[in-house]
C-alpha cells in the first residue's frame, strides 16, 4: 500500500522524503524520485508534513516515540497523518504527544486495497481537529478520491475497524456461498454474475470474488498473492473485538470471523490475501 501511495504523491508534484525498514522498497521509491533517509527522525527533521502507514499499534508507537523516532526531531507546525489501522486509544495517545511538540496528529486509515492505492482512488477516514481537516484533505487527495471527516481523533480508526469487521464477515459469506454453489454443480462465473445483480450483492462477491478465475486482477486469480493479508485482517478483527469488549457491544459474527481468520493464520495462509478463506473452507472437508 505504502509504495503506490508515495508514488502518487511524487506524481502530483510533492517532494517525498522516505524511510522504510525494507531497503528494496526504499530503493524503488528512490528510482521514482524520492529522497531516502535512514530513520523516522531524519524524515521529521526535513519535512512539514508526515504520512505513516504501519502494520500495528506497536510499530506506530515505535516509529513516533522510539529511538530515532519522529518525535525526536518533529518541527512545530508539522501536520502528521497516520494511515495505519490501529487501536483508537493509541491514536489519541500519539495526538497528545504531538500536541506537546507543537505538531498536529490526525488518524486517517484507508480503504480500497492495493488497486485503489495504485489508482489513487482510496477512501481516507479522518479523525482529528476539524480546523486541520482541510490541510489534511488537500494532501490526501493526491492519493485518494474520498476523504471523509469522521470527527474527533480516533474516529477514523473506529470507522475502519467497523468496516473491516463487516468486510471479513461478507468475505466469509461470499466464500461459503461460492463453495456451496460449486458443490451443487453451478458454474462459478455464472453464479457470481447472478448474485451480483441480486439481493446477495456485495463488494466481496462483485469486485473481489474469492474464487480463482471468476475475476481478473484480483488476488484469488493470482494464487492469493498481493492484496490485503490474512494476518492483517486477523489483527483488525482483534481490534474490533477489543473495542466490542470495551463498549459491551455484541458482535457474534465478528467474533466467529476473528476465530476463522486466526485459524487461517495458523494454517499457512497468514501472508495470503484474506480472500483465501475460500481455499481454507474448500480444504475443510478433506480433514
Amino acid at each position: 500500500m505504502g509504495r503506490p501511495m508515495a508514488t502518487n504523491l511524487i506524481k502530483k508534484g510533492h517532494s517525498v522524503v522516505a524511510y522504510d525498514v525494507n531497503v528494496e522498497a526504499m530503493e524503488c521509491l528512490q528510482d521514482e524520485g524520492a529522497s531516502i533517509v535512514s530513520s523516522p527522525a531524519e524524515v521529521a527533521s526535513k519535512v512539514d508534513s508526515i504520512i505513516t502507514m504501519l502494520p500495528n499499534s506497536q510499530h506506530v508507537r515505535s516509529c513516533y516515540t522510539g529511538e530515532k523516532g519522529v518525535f525526536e526531531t518533529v518541527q512545530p507546525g508539522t501536520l502528521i497523518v497516520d494511515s495505519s489501522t490501529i487501536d483508537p486509544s493509541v491514536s489519541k495517545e500519539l495526538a497528545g504527544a504531538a500536541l506537546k511538540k507543537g505538531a498536529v496528529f490526525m488518524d486517517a486509515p484507508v480503504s480500497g486495497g492495493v488497486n485503489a492505492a495504485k489508482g489513487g482512488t482510496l477512501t481516507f477516514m479522518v479523525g482529528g481537529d476539524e480546523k486541520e481537516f482541510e490541510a489534511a484533505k488537500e494532501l490526501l487527495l493526491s492519493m485518494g478520491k474520498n476523504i471523509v471527516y469522521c470527527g474527533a481523533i480516533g474516529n477514523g480508526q473506529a470507522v475502519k475497524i467497523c468496516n473491516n469487521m463487516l468486510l471479513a464477515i461478507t468475505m466469509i459469506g461470499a466464500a461459503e456461498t461460492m463453495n456451496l454453489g460449486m458443490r451443487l454443480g453451478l458454474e462459478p462465473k455464472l453464479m457470481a454474475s447472478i448474485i451480483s445483480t441480486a439481493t446477495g450483492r456485495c463488494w466481496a462477491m462483485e469486485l473481489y470474488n474469492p474464487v480463482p478465475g471468476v475475476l481478473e486482477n484480483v488476488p484469488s486469480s493470482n494464487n492469493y498473492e498481493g492484496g490485503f493479508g490474512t494476518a492483517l485482517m486477523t489483527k483488525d478483527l482483534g481490534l474490533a473485538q477489543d473495542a466490542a469488549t470495551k463498549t459491551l457491544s455484541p458482535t457474534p459474527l465478528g467474533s466467529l470471523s476473528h476465530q476463522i481468520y486466526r485459524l487461517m493464520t495458523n494454517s499457512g495462509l497468514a501472508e495470503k490475501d484474506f480472500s483465501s478463506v475460500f481455499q481454507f473452507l474448500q480444504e475443510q472437508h478433506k480433514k
Side-chain angles (χ1 to χ4, degrees):
M1 294 287 287
R3 179 183 168 189
M5 290 166 67
T7 299
N8 283 329
L9 284 169
I10 295 168
K11 287 179 179 178
K12 293 295 176 67
H14 293 280
S15 297
V16 172
V17 180
Y19 171 73
D20 195 289
V21 295
N22 185 323
V23 175
E24 183 180 348
M26 285 200 294
E27 289 174 347
C28 289
L29 277 180
Q30 189 172 33
D31 291 341
E32 293 172 6
S35 299
I36 302 304
V37 296
S38 61
S39 70
E42 192 173 354
V43 171
S45 70
K46 295 177 180 292
V47 301
D48 56 16
S49 298
I50 297 171
I51 300 170
T52 52
M53 193 169 196
L54 297 155
N56 60 43
S57 298
Q58 181 181 348
H59 292 128
V60 175
R61 270 204 188 99
S62 177
C63 176
Y64 282 96
T65 66
E67 184 180 355
K68 296 184 180 180
V70 168
F71 289 152
E72 283 190 7
T73 59
V74 69
Q75 303 173 65
T78 297
L79 172 64
I80 300 170
V81 179
D82 179 44
S83 290
S84 315
T85 301
I86 59 174
D87 189 321
S89 67
V90 176
S91 295
K92 294 175 184 177
E93 170 193 323
L94 294 176
L99 187 62
K100 292 177 182 177
K101 297 286 186 176
V104 175
F105 184 99
M106 306 188 82
D107 62 303
V110 304
S111 183
V114 173
N115 286 338
K118 291 177 179 176
T121 59
L122 290 165
T123 293
F124 287 85
M125 296 153 271
V126 185
D129 188 338
E130 190 171 8
K131 296 191 297 294
E132 306 293 342
F133 174 64
E134 285 305 317
K137 181 178 181 180
E138 183 178 349
L139 182 63
L140 297 175
L141 279 171
S142 296
M143 303 175 287
K145 183 178 180 180
N146 303 303
I147 319 300
V148 185
Y149 181 66
C150 300
I153 189 74
N155 280 14
Q157 300 294 350
V159 173
K160 178 63 186 291
I161 61 177
C162 289
N163 176 80
N164 277 19
M165 182 176 74
L166 179 59
L167 177 60
I169 291 169
T170 55
M171 181 56 76
I172 292 169
E176 288 185 349
T177 298
M178 293 298 293
N179 188 44
L180 174 61
M182 289 166 66
R183 292 188 184 189
L184 289 170
L186 296 172
E187 197 279 321
K189 283 188 177 181
L190 174 65
M191 184 181 176
S193 68
I194 293 171
I195 292 176
S196 293
T197 57
T199 53
R201 182 181 183 181
C202 64
W203 185 87
M205 182 68 73
E206 183 179 7
L207 299 176
Y208 210 85
N209 198 282
V211 179
V214 170
L215 296 175
E216 297 179 0
N217 301 317
V218 295
S220 62
S221 294
N222 187 36
N223 194 32
Y224 299 102
E225 300 293 338
F228 184 57
T230 293
L232 289 174
M233 176 57 87
T234 305
K235 180 263 297 182
D236 289 358
L237 288 167
L239 292 173
Q241 288 309 295
D242 288 345
T245 300
K246 291 175 183 175
T247 58
L248 303 180
S249 302
T251 56
L253 294 182
S255 178
L256 286 172
S257 298
H258 188 210
Q259 292 181 49
I260 289 171
Y261 276 97
R262 286 173 65 188
L263 286 170
M264 290 170 62
T265 297
N266 293 324
S267 300
L269 296 172
E271 302 304 317
K272 296 291 189 179
D273 181 74
F274 80 108
S275 61
S276 61
V277 65
F278 173 77
Q279 179 181 321
F280 176 75
L281 292 173
Q282 270 204 319
E283 292 174 352
Q284 294 311 296
H285 78 283
K286 302 175 184 177
K287 297 181 180 180

